[in-house]
């Protein structure tokens, strides 16, 4: 029986002490588009409404003299944080697969700093794998190629 295999470009990255992995394919244009859109969305959260609202509310949590806590303002801050974090986790799951955010962050609703840390740590892997793929394509399909034996 004849057979063939096509490289699917699947990459796995271990993300926790239990050895669980997230995965993505460097051949999937949808992955790169989704990741780029996620990064753009995350940057917008820092410069637009949700984060600005959260920072404004955070300034009201502790009274000016530092003696009391404004529980309504604190609740507003936590609501905004939860909304943004949950949306980020949904987007991460859409890109890296169902349950990816739970593998990455555990059973918590991560704060924006943990999400940013994930992006900072995953970006070099994505860049590395994309460069490797481009180098493979350039070697395989360069002008100097001499048929299927090269």
């Amino acid at each position: 029986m004849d057979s063939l295999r096509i490289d699917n470009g699947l990459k796995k990255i271990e993300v926790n002490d239990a050895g669980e992995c997230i995965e993505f394919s460097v051949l999937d244009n949808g992955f790169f588009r989704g990741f780029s859109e996620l990064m753009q969305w995350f940057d917008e959260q820092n410069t637009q409404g949700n984060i600005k609202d959260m920072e404004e509310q955070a300034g009201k949590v502790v009274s000016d003299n530092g003696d009391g806590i404004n529980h309504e303002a604190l609740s507003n801050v936590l609501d905004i944080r939860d909304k943004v974090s949950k949306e980020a986790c949904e987007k991460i799951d859409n890109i890296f697969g169902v349950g990816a955010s739970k593998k990455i962050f555990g059973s918590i609703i991560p704060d924006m700093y943990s999400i940013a840390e994930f992006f900072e740590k995953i970006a070099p892997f994505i860049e590395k794998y994309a460069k490797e793929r481009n180098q493979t394509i350039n070697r395989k399909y360069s002008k100097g190629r001499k048929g299927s034996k090269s």
Side-chain angles (χ1 to χ4, degrees):
M1 172 191 312
D2 293 333
S3 108
L4 65 92
R5 302 289 185 274
I6 303 295
D7 178 13
N8 64 6
L10 192 64
K11 302 296 181 185
K12 293 183 179 187
I13 299 173
E14 187 175 307
V15 292
N16 61 36
D17 292 337
E20 293 180 298
C21 297
I22 57 172
E23 53 186 47
F24 60 92
S25 174
V26 294
L27 306 182
D28 182 3
N29 288 334
F31 166 76
F32 288 105
R33 179 180 310 276
F35 187 75
S36 176
E37 289 172 355
L38 173 59
M39 297 300 295
Q40 183 178 0
W41 173 85
F42 189 75
D43 287 342
E44 289 170 358
Q45 298 308 300
N46 289 320
T47 59
Q48 292 182 352
N50 286 325
I51 301 303
K52 286 187 177 185
D53 289 347
M54 188 170 71
E55 290 171 350
E56 184 179 305
Q57 291 293 319
K60 299 175 185 177
V61 170
V62 178
S63 64
D64 290 336
N65 63 8
D67 288 344
I69 294 178
N70 179 337
H71 293 286
E72 182 180 345
L74 177 60
S75 180
N76 290 340
V77 168
L78 295 173
D79 288 347
I80 294 167
R81 178 190 153 204
D82 285 354
K83 177 182 178 261
V84 172
S85 295
K86 286 177 181 177
E87 189 172 348
C89 286
E90 287 173 14
K91 292 177 181 294
I92 288 169
D93 287 349
N94 287 339
I95 295 167
F96 292 99
V98 174
S101 60
K102 186 170 183 169
K103 292 176 187 177
I104 297 162
F105 303 112
S107 297
I108 64 165
I109 299 171
D111 63 10
M112 298 298 286
Y113 302 107
S114 297
I115 294 167
E117 181 181 5
F118 167 68
F119 293 148
E120 289 170 7
K121 289 183 175 183
I122 193 78
F125 288 109
I126 293 170
E127 290 171 14
K128 173 184 144 187
Y129 295 140
K131 284 179 186 176
E132 288 173 359
R133 175 69 179 156
N134 288 338
Q135 289 171 348
T136 299
I137 290 170
N138 288 338
R139 277 193 309 272
K140 200 171 191 178
Y141 299 106
S142 68
K143 288 182 180 181
R145 182 174 187 239
K146 296 179 173 58
S148 63
K149 304 268 187 228
S150 61

